[in-house]
């Protein structure tokens, strides 16, 4: 890309596939496929642009994760795991790149009306239209924010779920 278009100053690593699987349907190959697309796709894209950004002393890497990365969800273990891996990796990369001129922004959206959510048969609380979600993301990217979480109500619920006692969390999710 750089050979044809010039230096890349902004990478938005946004890949997301999900699977729905009952425990008795666990398929390691399917988990690996989701990890390859969601996590390793973002890492590979980053590898392709990072050296140039470091040499120029400027750039921004944006990794699109999910609020599902902060908490396991019923029957979506591979998706949650792939996005949790993104959080850990890109948070570490952000710390590694302090004072280099290269910023890392992690975006953790909730449910947004896209092709991925269009066919879901499950409740999607606080489902957002695409345009308002894009506005939030673009504002955060332009400000070079470290973490962008939205929508606020679902982000808040996600945070509370992480601090609840596990027994209470399990009971609530089972409802």
């Amino acid at each position: 890309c750089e050979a044809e278009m010039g230096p890349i100053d902004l990478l938005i690593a946004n890949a997301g596939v999900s699977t729905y699987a009952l425990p008795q349907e666990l398929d390691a190959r399917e988990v690996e496929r989701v990890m390859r697309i969601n996590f390793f796709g973002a890492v590979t894209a980053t590898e392709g642009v990072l050296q140039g950004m470091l040499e120029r002393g400027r750039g921004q890497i944006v990794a699109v994760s999910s609020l599902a990365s902060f908490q396991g969800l019923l029957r979506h273990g591979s998706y949650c795991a792939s996005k949790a891996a993104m959080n850990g990796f890109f948070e570490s990369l952000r710390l590694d790149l302090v004072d280099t001129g290269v910023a890392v922004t992690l975006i953790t959206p909730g449910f947004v009306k896209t092709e991925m959510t269009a066919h879901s048969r499950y409740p999607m609380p606080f489902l957002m239209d695409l345009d308002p979600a894009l506005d939030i993301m673009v504002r955060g990217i332009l400000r070079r924010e470290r973490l962008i979480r939205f929508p606020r109500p679902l982000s808040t619920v996600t945070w509370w779920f992480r601090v609840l006692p596990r027994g209470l969390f399990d009971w609530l999710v089972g409802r």
Side-chain angles (χ1 to χ4, degrees):
C1 287
E2 287 191 347
E4 290 192 25
M5 299 172 58
I8 295 173
D9 291 320
L10 174 65
L11 168 68
I12 300 177
N14 181 28
V17 296
S18 187
T19 59
Y20 173 88
L22 296 169
Q24 60 271 29
E25 298 169 341
L26 179 62
D27 181 345
R29 290 173 305 205
E30 184 62 13
V31 174
E32 180 182 0
R33 183 185 76 85
V34 173
M35 291 296 290
R36 283 189 180 280
I37 293 169
N38 294 0
F39 174 63
F40 287 110
V43 172
T44 302
T46 300
E47 179 186 25
V49 301
L50 183 57
Q51 191 58 44
M53 289 180 175
L54 289 170
E55 289 170 3
R56 291 186 299 279
R58 72 177 189 279
Q60 184 176 9
I61 297 165
V62 177
V64 182
S65 179
S66 169
L67 286 176
S69 64
F70 297 109
Q71 190 65 56
L73 298 175
L74 289 169
R75 298 173 194 85
H76 287 85
S78 57
Y79 180 78
C80 294
S82 70
K83 295 303 185 171
M86 286 186 69
N87 289 8
F89 181 85
F90 286 99
E91 173 83 2
S92 293
L93 184 62
R94 181 182 63 75
L95 296 170
D96 290 338
L97 296 176
V98 168
D99 297 327
T100 66
V102 179
V104 175
T105 298
L106 183 65
I107 301 177
T108 58
F111 299 106
V112 178
K113 288 183 185 176
T114 64
E115 183 64 28
M116 187 172 171
T117 59
H119 306 291
S120 178
R121 304 177 309 234
Y122 305 98
M124 293 180 284
F126 306 103
L127 178 67
M128 288 186 72
D129 286 325
L130 184 57
D131 287 341
L134 287 173
D135 289 343
I136 292 168
M137 290 186 276
V138 168
R139 271 195 317 273
I141 291 168
L142 292 174
R143 293 180 188 149
R144 295 170 73 99
E145 292 178 11
R146 292 184 296 266
L147 177 63
I148 302 167
R149 295 171 55 141
F150 68 92
R152 186 168 306 280
L154 188 56
S155 176
T156 301
V157 167
T158 302
W159 182 86
W160 277 107
F161 274 177
R162 290 190 56 78
V163 299
L164 283 177
R166 293 295 83 192
L168 181 55
F169 171 77
D170 293 352
W171 181 79
L172 287 170
V173 170
R175 301 280 170 254

